[in-house]
Every structure is written in C-alpha cells, then in structure tokens.
C-alpha cells in the first residue's frame, strides 16, 4: 500500500499513472486560502458533474476553504472537515483510488498527508421498484434495487437494531465489487458467518457482476441442479429471515439477495405466509407442494398408466383415451416430449420478448400450437391437457431456481415412466429423495424440518407444509443459535400498559437477544 505523499505533485503523478486513458476521470486543480495552497479534486464526470459549482456539501466546503488563511487550512481540515461535509480521511493512495471509482470525490492538499473523501451523488441507478418475480397480494411492495448501500438501508429500515451487523468485502480482481454480509448478532452462528465469508472469497475471479456468480462459486454441491442459496428481491423477506438466524448476502449492482442456509421448505414459502391467517397460508403452501409434485411427475405418471397400467383406469376413460389417440402417428413418449419442448420454447420466447408482447406470446402461442397440433392429429387432446397442467404447476412454484430444477428433472421422470412404467416412477422418486437427503446447505440438511428430528436441541415447529397459528410459532427455525430460539413470548394478560412495561423490561434484560 502506498501512503499519501505530502507533496501534491507526487500524489497527482501516481493517480494520473493509474488513470491513464480514462477520459471520464477528471482532475481539477485549484488554489485555496491566502496565501494560496495548491489543491486537487479528482472525480468521475458522471458521478460528480457540476456539483462543485452548485449548492452542494463539497461546494460549501471549498467556498469555506477559500476564505481561510493558508496556514490555517490544514488544521481546519483536521478539525472541521468531517463535520462540514459527508467526508472521511484516507491514509493510502489505493484507498483513495477505490473511493474515487466508487463514485466519490477525493480532495488532495499540498503538504497534507491524507486524502479527503467526499460523498457525491454516486453512479446513476434505477429507483426502487416492485419485486417482479415475487409478487404478493399482502405485504410491502418495495423491491431491492441495484446499489448495495440502498439495499442494505432497506433492510435496516425494517430492523432498527444495532444487533444487525454488516460486513463489507471487496471481491473481483478487476471489478472490485462491494459485497455486504448481513446477520443478526446473537441469532446467527459466528462460525457460520465466517464460513460464508470464506466460501464467497475463496476464488479469485476477474469480476463479480451479479449475485449469481457468488452463488455458483460458493455452493458446495455444484453438480446438483437444486439451488443451495435462496434468492429474493424482497427486503421484507430478507429482514424476516435475518430474524430467523439466517445470513443475507447483498452484491453491488444486483437486485437479488442471497439467503443462507436454505432448505427445500424455504423455497416453497413466500413472505405473505406470515401475514395471512394460518388456514389460508397452510392451504396455499399445500397447493405449492402439490404443484411441485405435479410438475415433476405428472407427465411421467400419465405415460406409465397409459403404456403399462391401463387396468387401473375405468373402462369408459380408457376407451376415451384410445379414441383420442386414434390417428396419432407418434408413440405416447415422443408425443409428450414434443409438447413439453414446445411449451418450454413458448415460455423462453415470452421471457425474451419485450414487455407488452410477452404475455400475448405465451397465451396465443400456447393456444395456437395446442389447437393446431390436435387438429393435425400430431398429438392427442389428453397429452395437451397433461402437459399444460404440468407447465401450470411449475409456474406455481414461487422460486424460479427451484422451478427450473424441477422442470429439468421432469424429463427424467418422463423417460422412466414411458419406458419402465410405475416401476420407473418409483425408481425416480427413490433417486430424487435420496439426492435431496444427501444435500447440505451450510451444515443444514436440505430436507429440514422433515428430517433431523433427533438433532440435539432441535424442536419441531409447525411451519413446514402446515403453518400453525402465529401464536404457536414460539421458536425460531433450526438456523438460529440454540440458546436464542425463542422469538415469541406471552407478556401478560393484564392491561396493555402493564404488558408494554413488562415487554420493555424483558427487552432490556435481553430475553429476545
């Protein structure tokens, strides 16, 4: 690390060497004080622009410095600059360059061996929006944006406690991307936080441009199609999981947060499960589990039944199937495969098309292709119904990464059911559950809370397929530290004033810490 020189010319020479051929980095020399002292302001054109000439904090600071005696200028910076502007002192030139590339203005003064970092308006970015992939009917409509500082502030707005800790890492040899690791002190395991930091920084890569790169570098079983990090665009869900003892990773320039550890049950829950009554939340969650099973096995079971086990069908239904397949030139296996691939193509086209056309492509494309295929006797009507229900079920899975894994494994069940019948489906279920049982996400079994009931200190909670009444959800999930599992405690049956006082006493005593 190169310490800041006292001579301004040496600092300017070092910075210009590093910023050679960078036309967007501007050097603005100036003379401040009387007698005048040489100073240099360096900033990115797009982040600072004309802010020094406007009524900005930097503009007011420079105006004040011009009025000072030259001998007083350096002592003034030491004593008052931090209070006048959103400023900080940096000891090395490398830190100054990093602050400059992060969108700040840096000010160097001749005879002063520190760099004054002054916050500016920063890089342009999109404003807060709605989480497009996690729409809910009840709850906050805010979604993460791209600057990591803003995303951290959205979580801090919901958890106003100093127990919420934020660690900063700079990753990417060339991108130098800021990554924030958030956790609740006392709830998250310290060794798990250290493990997360080690996992995401154990590889050196040119650039970290999205949280998806971090996810792939840090996952333990990288051959598995199942995600080992949960992703979310919702600050309220991230805050909720922090209170459950989990860790949140935010990457600069990415609107998607990573949650760890994770389980299969976490992917099938949504934030509004906690906001709705337990009967509604439980019914909706059961539907999602049923949708996952249908998306995975429905097409395969259809092929197994009509190809090997027709005796289990009622006679009228069997005759109806035979009549519908009359004239179809392809075997059932090829028929279903063609329709599944056609639906995947429609889905991919609707995602890539511009916004106003995407919905139209999905609906019209599905109707036209399905109707034309049936009319041309290429496929049977029942195959279209089965594939459509399978595709609809995959859309009901709330997490896109889990949905993609299920859609991929669906083809394995199609081949097993079409070639081996129900025996093949049974083999597929055995391999599927065996694989999930072997997955571990940051020391937590992937099938929790359905497995691991014998783990010491673990107590089951009514929050899996069935979500119990919120008054009965007293304990945090397995992610939280064993000594701090209680999250809900009845304070008092007396008046609200007494209950509030007791609640305040308990909080000060640290019951919930």
């Amino acid at each position: 690390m190169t310490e800041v020189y006292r001579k301004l010319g040496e600092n300017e020479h070092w910075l210009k060497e590093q910023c050679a051929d960078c036309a967007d980095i501007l050097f603005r020399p100036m003379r401040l004080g009387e007698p005048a002292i040489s100073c240099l302001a360096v900033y990115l054109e797009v982040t600072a622009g004309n802010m020094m000439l406007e009524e900005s904090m930097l503009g007011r600071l420079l105006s004040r410095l011009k009025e000072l005696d030259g001998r007083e200028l350096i002592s003034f910076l030491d004593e008052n600059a931090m209070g006048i502007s959103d400023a900080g002192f940096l000891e090395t030139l490398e830190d100054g360059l990093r602050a400059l590339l992060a969108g700040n203005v840096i000010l160097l003064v001749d005879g002063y061996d520190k760099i004054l970092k002054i916050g500016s308006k920063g890089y342009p970015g999109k404003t807060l929006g709605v989480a497009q992939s996690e729409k809910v009917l009840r709850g906050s409509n805010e979604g993460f944006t791209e600057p990591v500082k803003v995303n951290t502030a959205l979580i801090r707005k919901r958890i106003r406690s100093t127990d919420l800790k934020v660690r900063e890492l700079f990753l990417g040899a060339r991108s130098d991307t800021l990554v924030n690791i958030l956790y609740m002190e006392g709830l998250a395991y310290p060794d798990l936080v250290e493990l997360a930091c080690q996992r995401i920084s154990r590889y050196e890569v040119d650039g970290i441009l999205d949280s998806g790169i971090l996810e792939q570098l840090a996952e333990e079983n990288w051959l598995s199609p199942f995600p080992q990090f949960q992703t979310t665009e919702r600050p309220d869900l991230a805050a909720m999981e922090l209170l459950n003892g989990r860790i949140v990773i935010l990457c600069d320039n990415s609107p998607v947060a990573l949650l760890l550890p994770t389980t299969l049950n976490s992917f099938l829950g949504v934030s509004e499960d906690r906001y709705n009554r337990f009967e509604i939340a439980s019914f909706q969650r059961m539907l999602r589990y049923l949708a996952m099973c249908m998306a995975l096995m429905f097409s395969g079971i259809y092929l197994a039944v009509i190809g090997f086990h027709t005796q289990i069908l009622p006679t009228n239904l069997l005759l109806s199937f035979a009549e519908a397949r009359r004239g179809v030139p392809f075997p059932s296996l090829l028929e279903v495969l063609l329709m599944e691939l056609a639906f995947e193509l429609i889905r991919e086209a609707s995602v890539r098309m511009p916004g106003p056309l995407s919905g139209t492509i999905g609906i019209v494309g599905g109707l036209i292709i399905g109707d034309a295929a049936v009319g041309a006797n290429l496929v049977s009507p029942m195959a279209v119904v089965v594939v459509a229900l399978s595709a609809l079920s995959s859309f009901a899975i709330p997490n896109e990464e889990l949905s993609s894994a299920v859609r991929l494994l669906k083809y394995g069940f199609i081949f097993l059911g079409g070639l081996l019948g129900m025996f093949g489906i049974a083999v597929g279920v055995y391999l599927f559950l065996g694989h999930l049982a072997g997955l571990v996400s940051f020391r937590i079994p992937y099938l929790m809370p359905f497995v691991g009931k014998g783990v010491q200190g673990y107590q089951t909670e009514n929050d899996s397929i069935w979500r119990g009444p919120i008054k009965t959800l007293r304990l945090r999930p397995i992610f939280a530290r064993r000594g701090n599992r209680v999250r809900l405690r009845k304070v008092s049956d007396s008046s609200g004033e007494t209950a509030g006082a007791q609640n305040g006493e308990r909080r000060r005593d640290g019951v919930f810490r």
Side-chain angles (χ1 to χ4, degrees):
M1 303 294 283
T2 308
E3 293 186 355
V4 180
Y5 302 107
R6 282 194 172 273
K7 292 185 177 180
L8 179 62
E10 295 180 359
N11 294 325
E12 182 178 1
H13 177 72
W14 189 94
L15 286 171
K16 285 188 174 180
E17 274 191 345
Q18 301 298 317
C19 302
D21 297 327
C22 297
D24 58 331
I25 298 179
L26 304 182
F27 290 76
R28 182 176 178 182
M30 60 188 74
R31 296 179 68 81
L32 303 175
E34 186 62 41
I37 294 180
S38 296
C39 302
L40 178 68
V42 188
Y43 55 91
L44 286 164
E45 185 176 14
V46 70
T47 60
N50 296 323
M51 69 170 292
M52 290 188 293
L53 303 178
E54 300 170 357
E55 281 298 313
S56 62
M57 298 299 288
L58 177 60
R60 288 197 292 271
L61 172 62
L62 295 179
S63 299
R64 179 72 177 103
L65 293 180
K66 287 180 182 179
E67 300 171 359
L68 293 176
D69 186 283
R71 292 163 296 187
E72 299 175 356
L73 189 146
I74 292 178
S75 61
F76 176 83
L77 287 175
D78 272 330
E79 296 173 5
N80 298 307
M82 296 284 285
I84 291 181
S85 177
D86 177 19
F89 293 115
L90 304 174
E91 305 284 345
T92 66
L93 290 171
E94 286 82 2
D95 288 341
L97 184 61
R98 172 176 285 173
L100 167 67
L101 295 175
N104 301 289
V105 178
I106 60 173
L107 180 68
L108 300 101
V109 179
D110 193 26
Y112 191 53
D113 60 353
K114 295 178 183 176
I115 294 177
L116 185 62
K117 181 198 75 172
I118 306 167
S120 67
K121 64 182 181 181
Y123 288 99
K126 71 173 187 178
T127 57
L128 297 182
V130 179
Q132 295 296 327
S133 62
E134 297 175 85
K135 295 182 179 179
V136 295
L137 297 177
R138 186 170 186 176
S140 172
N141 288 321
E142 279 185 340
F144 283 128
T145 183
E146 294 178 359
V148 67
K149 296 288 187 181
V150 176
N151 293 339
T152 304
L154 290 175
I155 296 178
R156 178 74 71 179
K157 183 175 76 169
R158 290 164 170 81
I159 304 178
R160 301 180 184 182
S161 168
T162 54
D163 287 342
L164 176 59
K165 305 300 182 184
V166 181
R167 286 195 187 183
E168 291 188 347
L169 298 176
F170 288 91
L171 303 177
R174 298 185 184 276
S175 66
D176 202 34
T177 305
L178 176 60
V179 175
N180 281 357
I181 299 178
L182 287 72
Y183 64 95
M184 293 296 295
E185 187 178 41
L187 298 184
Y189 286 98
D191 56 341
L192 197 61
V193 177
E194 296 299 331
L195 178 61
C197 294
Q198 293 172 10
R199 286 271 191 91
I200 65 175
S201 57
R202 64 181 172 180
Y203 293 103
E204 184 173 332
V205 63
D206 274 351
I208 303 292
L209 304 180
D210 187 80
S211 58
I213 298 177
L214 288 178
E215 180 181 3
Q216 295 177 74
L217 292 177
E219 60 187 2
E220 186 173 355
N221 192 339
W222 53 273
L223 289 175
S224 173
F226 289 94
Q228 290 146 61
F229 288 80
Q230 184 181 355
T231 58
T232 182
E233 297 179 11
R234 300 187 60 84
D236 59 335
L237 178 60
M240 189 183 302
E241 296 303 330
L242 282 168
L243 296 177
N244 285 336
R246 298 173 75 183
I247 300 168
V248 173
I249 298 178
L250 298 172
C251 178
D252 201 13
N253 306 314
S254 174
V256 179
L258 302 179
L259 307 177
L260 63 101
T262 192
T263 62
L264 180 66
N265 188 59
S266 302
F267 291 110
L268 293 169
V270 295
S271 58
E272 64 180 341
D273 283 352
R274 190 60 61 87
Y275 308 147
N276 288 329
R277 293 184 57 81
F278 73 97
E279 303 95 338
I280 300 171
S282 298
F283 176 70
Q284 291 175 341
R285 195 174 290 183
M286 290 176 187
L287 276 181
R288 294 185 208 115
Y289 271 92
L290 177 62
M292 184 185 70
C293 295
M294 288 184 62
L296 188 66
M297 294 182 289
F298 192 49
S299 297
I301 291 175
Y302 165 75
L303 290 174
V305 169
I306 66 171
F308 295 89
H309 309 282
T310 54
Q311 66 274 13
I312 69 174
L313 296 175
T315 304
N316 291 337
L317 184 59
L318 183 60
L319 293 175
S320 176
F321 281 3
E323 181 66 25
R325 280 196 50 77
R326 180 177 297 174
V328 176
F330 303 115
S332 299
L333 177 59
L334 184 58
E335 174 188 30
V336 170
L337 276 176
L338 289 175
M339 288 304 301
E340 289 282 2
L341 290 174
F343 269 88
E344 287 295 329
L345 285 173
I346 293 172
R347 178 189 173 278
E348 188 68 16
S350 64
V351 170
R352 305 303 167 195
M353 288 293 289
L357 297 177
S358 59
T360 306
I361 288 292
I363 297 173
V364 175
L367 290 174
I368 291 176
I369 290 179
D371 184 64
V374 172
N377 269 349
L378 295 177
V379 296
S380 65
M382 190 60 196
V384 176
V385 173
V386 168
V387 173
L389 284 175
S390 177
L392 192 63
S393 298
S394 69
F395 292 136
I397 299 175
N399 185 273
E400 176 59 29
E401 291 187 311
L402 179 63
S403 176
S404 299
V406 168
R407 293 203 315 272
L408 180 64
L409 293 180
K410 169 178 62 179
Y411 293 98
F413 278 92
I414 288 174
F415 281 107
L416 288 172
L419 298 176
L420 301 176
M422 292 305 294
F423 173 74
I425 298 296
V427 170
V429 171
Y430 173 78
L431 294 175
F432 172 72
L433 293 179
H435 175 70
L436 292 183
L439 283 180
V440 175
S441 174
F442 288 86
R443 302 175 184 169
I444 299 295
Y446 205 68
L447 290 181
M448 292 292 275
F450 309 112
V451 299
K453 299 296 178 64
V455 176
Q456 184 179 3
Y458 175 73
Q459 292 175 275
T460 185
E461 190 71 18
N462 298 324
D463 196 12
S464 53
I465 299 179
W466 167 265
R467 203 221 83 185
I470 198 166
K471 293 181 180 180
T472 66
L473 303 180
R474 301 186 306 104
L475 302 180
R476 296 185 178 95
I478 190 67
F479 313 117
R481 296 177 68 174
R482 296 295 187 274
N484 288 323
R485 294 289 304 284
V486 177
R487 67 178 171 191
L488 177 66
R489 189 188 302 275
K490 191 172 184 179
V491 178
S492 174
D493 290 329
S494 58
S495 66
E497 182 179 353
T498 305
Q502 292 179 358
N503 187 35
E505 292 173 5
R506 282 204 168 101
R507 290 193 179 197
R508 287 193 294 272
D509 292 342
V511 172
F512 293 101
R513 296 179 64 83

